[in-house]
Amino acid sequence: MAHLVQPKPDTARTLADVLSRETREGELYDVLPDGRLRCYACGHCCPLPEGAVGVCKVRFNEGGRLRVPWGYVGGVQCDPVEKKPFFHAYPGSLAYSFGMLGCDLHCGYCQNWVTSQAIRDPRAVAPPLSAAPGDLVRDALRHRARLIVSTYNEPLITSEWAVAVFKEAKAAGLTTGFVSNGNGTPQVLEYLRPWLDLYKVDLKSFDDRHYRELGGRLQPILDTIRRLHEMDFWLEIVTLLIPGFNDSTDELSRLTEFVASVSVDIPWHVTAFHGDYKMTGPETTTASMLRAAAEIGRRAGLRYVYAGNLPGQVGELEHTRCASCGETLIERRGYVVRAYRVTAAGRCPSCDSPIPGRWTAT
Ligand code: SF4
């Protein structure tokens, strides 16, 4: 990360003060007839009078213009693409991962809370590192990454910065991705479409009351999932299975039936919870809970169901099998690909059925 420069500590200012300088004018907003600004970067669609800050705490109205995060990262790391998780996009590749700070939700169990809640929660200390888009892309190439992914905080709220990075990344031949809560708008998806290839949505629940506890609403997320599929982003969906929160048979049936109604070919990952941040009460998810949830997904008609976070404990639910003939196409243990048999044309070598996803052609 040699090109990323950490700003000098500025103890006299809060993190919010520091970040309010790391901005530029955004592109995802309109001026309303009454002079307020309407931000379209996420499903909150905040109306912002002069001086107001959005729910995300990082976009704000200054002098009748929307200021948005720019020129820094909250963290960078090179991970296997399986960790995002994408299982049907360039398996075994490295994904150079960057994030900014802040989020439009405030989930009590967030596993990235140090970056996502950095402005809301004084215990979250994640000082920003100055960066230019070209620095990040050069760093990704130096690490031999195949992909570059905006993650760690909610990428929708920093979409202008992501697009600046992705424009340079695509010129350098990289595939681009978002790891997102899916609380999008039609405007932000149109804005992202030319520059963004892969989209992971964290579908946390199928109960609007649960989403309101987390600071959002269910409907904008369902609308975004449908749009992502219609707009031909490569889409995978993850549900962190939290005992007592979202694991009832009824809720999981409705959730997976919804995903199947969009497309039975969307991979659905059900992953194990462990206590984190403010949610330490629920028990840890077991392998048998994951298997039971996966069975509900299969019954709903989903053809690619995976169980995650418990390597070696969930049998074939880590592997990809051909939905037509049952041939095992990709064997995994955790994030490690142990065998890969998808053809260069993205087909099953046994029955020649196409396998949905983005595959390495050579
Ligand atoms: S990104 Fe979302 S929360 Fe932030 S100002 Fe825009 S609409 Fe509001």
Side-chain angles (χ1 to χ4, degrees), residues 209-240:
R209 284 169 307 171
H210 286 159
Y211 262 104
R212 286 176 192 267
E213 285 173 28
L214 308 177
R217 290 182 298 125
L218 175 62
Q219 195 57 50
I221 291 153
L222 302 185
D223 293 343
T224 296
I225 287 171
R226 279 202 188 278
R227 273 196 200 96
L228 287 165
H229 181 69
E230 286 164 12
M231 293 170 77
D232 202 30
F233 291 90
W234 177 251
L235 170 64
E236 301 197 21
I237 293 179
V238 178
T239 300
L240 181 70

Side-chain angles (χ1 to χ4, degrees), residues 24-215:
R24 64 174 258 180
E25 185 180 358
E27 296 179 334
L28 284 159
Y29 77 99
D30 280 341
V31 181
L32 298 173
D34 62 7
R36 292 181 301 170
L37 308 181
R38 171 83 71 193
C39 176
Y40 295 110
C42 88
H44 289 310
C45 295
C46 296
L48 298 169
E50 169 63 36
V53 180
V55 171
C56 58
K57 309 277 191 213
V58 296
R59 299 167 74 92
F60 56 93
N61 179 346
E62 183 178 78
R65 292 171 187 234
L66 188 72
R67 303 295 300 183
V68 305
W70 195 263
Y72 76 88
V73 288
V76 290
Q77 191 170 312
C78 225
D79 293 322
V81 68
E82 285 75 16
K83 191 175 177 183
K84 301 298 99 186
F86 288 110
F87 274 18
H88 287 227
Y90 310 108
S93 300
L94 282 176
Y96 185 87
S97 305
F98 68 94
M100 298 188 95
L101 298 174
C103 190
D104 55 319
L105 303 183
H106 47 79
C107 306
Y109 54 82
C110 184
Q111 291 172 354
N112 288 320
W113 66 277
V114 171
T115 47
S116 70
Q117 303 301 318
I119 302 123
R120 280 196 189 89
D121 189 333
R123 290 175 299 157
V125 179
L129 311 174
S130 294
D135 296 338
L136 297 172
V137 172
R138 278 188 293 277
D139 211 25
L141 295 173
R142 228 181 355 259
H143 283 80
R144 301 187 183 283
R146 170 80 178 74
L147 307 97
I148 187 164
V149 175
S150 184
T151 177
Y152 305 135
N153 76 317
E154 174 47 48
L156 286 168
I157 68 173
T158 49
S159 285
E160 288 93 341
W161 171 248
V163 163
V165 175
F166 290 168
K167 282 180 178 174
E168 299 220 16
K170 291 192 82 68
L174 295 169
T175 296
T176 60
F178 258 24
V179 173
S180 167
N181 61 32
N183 187 26
T185 64
Q187 293 89 338
V188 74
L189 297 187
E190 289 293 339
Y191 179 77
L192 292 167
R193 188 66 202 93
W195 312 108
L196 180 57
D197 303 308
L198 315 176
Y199 205 115
K200 192 216 83 173
V201 171
D202 192 2
L203 182 54
K204 299 167 191 291
S205 168
F206 211 70
D207 184 330
D208 189 59
R209 284 169 307 171
H210 286 159
Y211 262 104
R212 286 176 192 267
E213 285 173 28
L214 308 177

